[in-house]
Amino acid sequence: AYRCWLGMIRARKLGGDGRVGQAEEGNVLRQMASTGARHDLMAEFDRLADQEILELASSRTQNRVTAQSWQCFQLRYVEHLSGEETARRLGLTKNTVFVAVCRVRKTLREEVLRLDPDAAIEIKSS
C-alpha cells in the first residue's frame, strides 16, 4: 500500500510516459525527465519505501516477540555482536540466542510481507 502510494506520487510528478507534466515546468523537473534521473528517482522512492516498511515491520515485530528475543536480535543485528558475545551479555546459551534470533527474523519477514506482499526486503542472517 505504501509503495503504491509512492508510485502514485511518482506518476503525478512524471507523466505516464515519463515526461514531465505540463503544469510543472521548473528546471529540476526538466532534469528529472532524463532517463537516468528518472531511474535514480524511482530507485530512491523504492529505497525509502523499503526503509519505511522495515521500520514499521520492526515495530510490529518487537510487540509480538519477548523482550529477551528482541534484545538478542538487536545485539546480533544492530550492534553486530557475535552469538557468543550476545549470549555472554544476556546470560544465555548460544543456542538460546540462535533460536531467539531465528524467531525474530521469521516474525519480521512475516510482518514485512503483511505490509507489502511484493517486498524485496531481505532479512539477512548475520
Side-chain angles (χ1 to χ4, degrees):
Y2 183 75
R3 194 178 308 273
C4 182
W5 176 75
L6 284 176
M8 288 174 20
I9 291 172
R10 180 176 57 212
R12 285 186 185 132
K13 290 291 182 188
L14 302 172
D17 60 358
R19 285 182 274 149
V20 175
Q22 291 179 354
E24 302 170 286
E25 301 244 352
N27 282 337
V28 173
L29 291 177
R30 271 190 230 110
Q31 289 173 357
M32 286 173 33
S34 77
T35 303
R38 246 192 343 267
H39 177 74
D40 290 347
L41 178 64
M42 290 167 55
E44 182 64 10
F45 272 135
D46 286 342
R47 187 191 68 75
L48 290 171
D50 287 349
Q51 181 180 341
E52 190 74 24
I53 289 166
L54 190 55
E55 287 173 8
L56 184 54
S58 293
S59 177
R60 289 180 176 190
T61 298
Q62 186 175 5
N63 292 329
R64 287 182 54 194
V65 300
T66 66
Q68 178 177 288
S69 293
W70 186 254
Q71 203 171 14
C72 289
F73 179 79
Q74 289 291 299
L75 290 174
R76 291 285 288 130
Y77 282 88
V78 176
E79 296 187 25
H80 305 289
L81 297 181
S82 68
E84 188 173 294
E85 179 61 19
T86 299
R88 188 190 67 71
R89 282 197 187 183
L90 299 177
L92 304 170
T93 65
K94 281 179 23 177
N95 190 52
T96 300
V97 169
F98 176 77
V99 169
V101 168
C102 285
R103 285 183 181 152
V104 171
R105 287 181 61 232
K106 180 180 181 243
T107 305
L108 186 56
R109 273 193 300 273
E110 290 169 1
E111 289 296 341
V112 165
L113 290 174
R114 269 193 195 119
L115 292 166
D116 184 356
D118 299 325
I121 300 170
E122 185 179 341
I123 313 298
K124 297 179 182 177
S125 57
S126 119

